[in-house]
């Protein structure tokens, strides 16, 4: 798609250290550098050389979406509740994965929650309070596009919380999530992981696509040089909040198509709904989806 002048403030070139080499990168340059283009798909140790072909992806996705409709009927009949949160670096594909899951579900009982920064009132409440307000009632399937795990990543990296608040989060979160599961909610935590060069490529794609430019925020630009800090925060988050009650499901997401299929398969495998077609669901790709912090090592 042709680049369009949207009246954006020009971004200054950023010096990045990639694979031990310092490089100056200008995201406003419409030409994507070769060092990003050639290494993006394999970055972060991605296990495949090419993305899944569209002609293989779309029929599989349709079968899974049919199963999701079946699962939703079961949830409504039995009063079951599903809560799924999606976390990951900026441009990891959270929104697209949520959209693929939600597309053909009844919107009256399948909701997406994407909260903005806290209001003054919310900032004065218990940290989890504004999230609890959006939890599912009987028969509902609720997906969080980012969640209370902001306090484990972006907030400490960008200085939006105090060290004390950060430490309190790790004391309280496992107990909080144990209560969610103990109340009978099916609770999923997905971390979508991408390589650094893939993130840069997706940022560049957003910057030069007038239909996607809204996805690129000043916060994304400010975080460009903080990859290592985000990695350390991610590693601690996974280590301290991966529990028996609320395990982390890790998804290698350089290939959006493989990521989406395996996320939906995992959800469907967990729910014991009427008319479940295991052949339609297919098998989890254990190169793409795994559990706990060791999966990314």
């Amino acid at each position: 798609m042709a680049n369009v002048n949207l009246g954006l403030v020009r971004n200054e070139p950023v010096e990045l250290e990639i694979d031990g080499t310092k490089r100056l990168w200008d995201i406003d340059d419409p030409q994507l550098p070769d060092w990003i283009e050639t290494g993006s798909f394999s970055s972060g140790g991605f296990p495949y050389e090419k993305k899944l072909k569209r002609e293989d992806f779309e029929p599989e996705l349709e079968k899974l979406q049919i199963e999701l409709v079946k699962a939703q009927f079961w949830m409504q009949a039995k009063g079951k509740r599903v809560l799924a949160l999606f976390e990951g670096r900026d441009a990891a594909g959270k929104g697209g994965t949520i959209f693929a899951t939600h597309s053909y579900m009844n919107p009256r009982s399948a909701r997406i929650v994407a909260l903005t920064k806290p209001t003054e009132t919310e900032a004065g409440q218990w940290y989890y309070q504004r999230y609890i307000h959006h939890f599912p009632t009987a028969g509902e399937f609720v997906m969080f596009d980012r969640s209370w795990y902001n306090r484990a990543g972006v907030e400490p990296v960008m200085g939006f919380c105090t060290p004390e608040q950060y430490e309190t989060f790790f004391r309280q979160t496992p107990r909080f999530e144990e209560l969610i599961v103990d109340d009978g909610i099916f609770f999923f935590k997905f971390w979508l992981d991408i390589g650094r060069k893939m993130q840069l490529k997706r940022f560049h794609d957003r910057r030069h696509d007038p239909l996607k430019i809204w996805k690129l925020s000043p916060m994304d630009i400010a975080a460009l040089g903080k990859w290592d800090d985000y990695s350390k925060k991610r590693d601690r988050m996974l280590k301290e909040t991966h529990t028996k009650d609320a395990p982390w499901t890790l998804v290698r997401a350089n290939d959006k198509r493989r990521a989406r299929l395996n996320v939906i398969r995992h959800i469907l495998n967990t729910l014991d709904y009427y008319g479940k077609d295991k052949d339609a669901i297919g098998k989890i790709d254990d190169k793409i989806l795994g559990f706990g912090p060791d999966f990314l090592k």
Side-chain angles (χ1 to χ4, degrees):
M1 185 172 292
N3 188 32
V4 176
N5 184 354
L6 299 175
L8 300 172
V9 175
R10 179 168 176 79
N11 300 287
E12 293 295 325
V14 179
E15 185 177 76
L16 305 173
E17 185 169 336
I18 309 290
D19 299 332
T21 301
K22 290 185 177 180
R23 299 180 182 273
L24 194 65
W25 184 48
D26 183 1
I27 194 172
D28 291 333
D29 185 343
Q31 181 64 44
L32 183 66
D34 288 342
W35 60 269
I36 295 179
E37 183 68 68
T38 57
S40 60
F41 195 76
S42 62
S43 62
F46 193 71
Y48 290 96
E49 295 182 358
K50 297 180 180 180
K51 67 181 179 182
L52 186 67
K53 293 180 180 179
R54 183 180 298 276
E55 56 265 34
D56 295 326
F57 166 70
E58 290 183 345
E60 289 300 311
L61 178 62
E62 183 179 10
K63 287 189 288 186
L64 294 174
Q65 289 171 330
I66 291 170
E67 293 299 304
L68 284 168
V69 172
K70 293 181 188 177
Q72 193 176 21
F73 276 121
W74 166 78
M75 289 174 58
Q76 292 166 342
K78 292 294 187 178
K80 302 296 183 181
R81 294 167 291 166
V82 173
L83 174 61
L85 60 84
F86 293 80
E87 294 288 346
R89 298 183 190 271
D90 295 316
K94 299 178 292 295
T97 303
I98 291 170
F99 180 79
T101 306
H102 179 265
S103 290
Y104 291 98
M105 300 181 80
N106 184 340
R108 292 188 179 89
S109 55
R111 295 188 285 114
I112 299 169
V113 179
L115 301 183
T116 58
K117 68 180 183 179
T119 65
E120 183 177 350
T121 298
E122 290 171 337
Q125 297 171 342
W126 182 43
Y127 178 68
Y128 306 90
Q129 189 167 336
R130 73 187 190 122
Y131 298 101
I132 293 171
H133 177 72
H134 298 278
F135 276 21
T137 189
E140 278 197 319
F141 190 113
V142 175
M143 290 163 279
F144 276 83
D145 187 344
R146 294 197 179 279
S147 67
W148 48 93
Y149 280 98
N150 283 331
R151 182 140 293 177
V154 63
E155 289 189 19
V157 170
M158 303 305 293
F160 297 153
C161 69
T162 67
E164 292 76 17
Q165 289 171 327
Y166 179 57
E167 294 301 327
T168 298
F169 176 84
F170 287 113
R171 291 196 304 272
Q172 292 186 347
T173 296
R175 292 150 59 192
F176 171 61
E177 294 178 348
E178 182 181 0
L179 293 174
I180 294 173
V181 177
D182 190 54
D183 202 54
I185 296 174
F186 289 94
F187 182 41
F188 299 91
K189 300 191 301 188
F190 292 104
W191 174 269
L192 274 60
D193 201 75
I194 55 172
R196 191 174 192 187
K197 291 181 181 178
M198 178 56 76
Q199 185 189 54
L200 295 175
K201 181 181 185 302
R202 291 182 183 176
F203 279 172
H204 187 270
D205 291 345
R206 291 176 176 185
R207 170 61 186 86
H208 297 280
D209 184 339
L211 295 177
K212 296 181 180 180
I213 185 62
W214 63 271
K215 292 185 176 183
L216 187 68
S217 70
M219 190 68 64
D220 296 332
I221 302 299
L224 281 174
K226 300 180 183 294
W227 177 271
D228 290 340
D229 197 2
Y230 271 105
S231 296
K232 291 176 183 177
K233 297 297 188 294
R234 174 203 64 191
D235 292 347
R236 183 182 179 190
M237 178 196 77
L238 294 176
K239 179 181 178 181
E240 297 202 26
T241 62
H242 177 69
T243 65
K244 180 181 178 181
D245 293 302
W248 275 104
T249 303
L250 285 298
V251 185
R252 291 192 173 100
N254 279 6
D255 183 352
K256 296 178 182 179
R257 294 168 182 169
R258 286 187 171 94
R260 292 167 187 176
L261 294 179
N262 283 280
V263 164
I264 299 173
R265 283 172 181 149
H266 175 59
I267 293 171
L268 292 170
N269 280 334
T270 305
L271 305 178
D272 190 21
Y273 56 92
Y274 305 137
K276 187 172 184 175
D277 186 341
K278 293 183 178 180
D279 290 334
I281 296 171
K283 295 182 178 179
I284 295 290
D285 183 344
D286 59 12
K287 293 180 181 179
I288 297 296
L289 185 146
F291 303 94
D294 291 342
F295 181 69
L296 297 179
K297 295 180 180 178

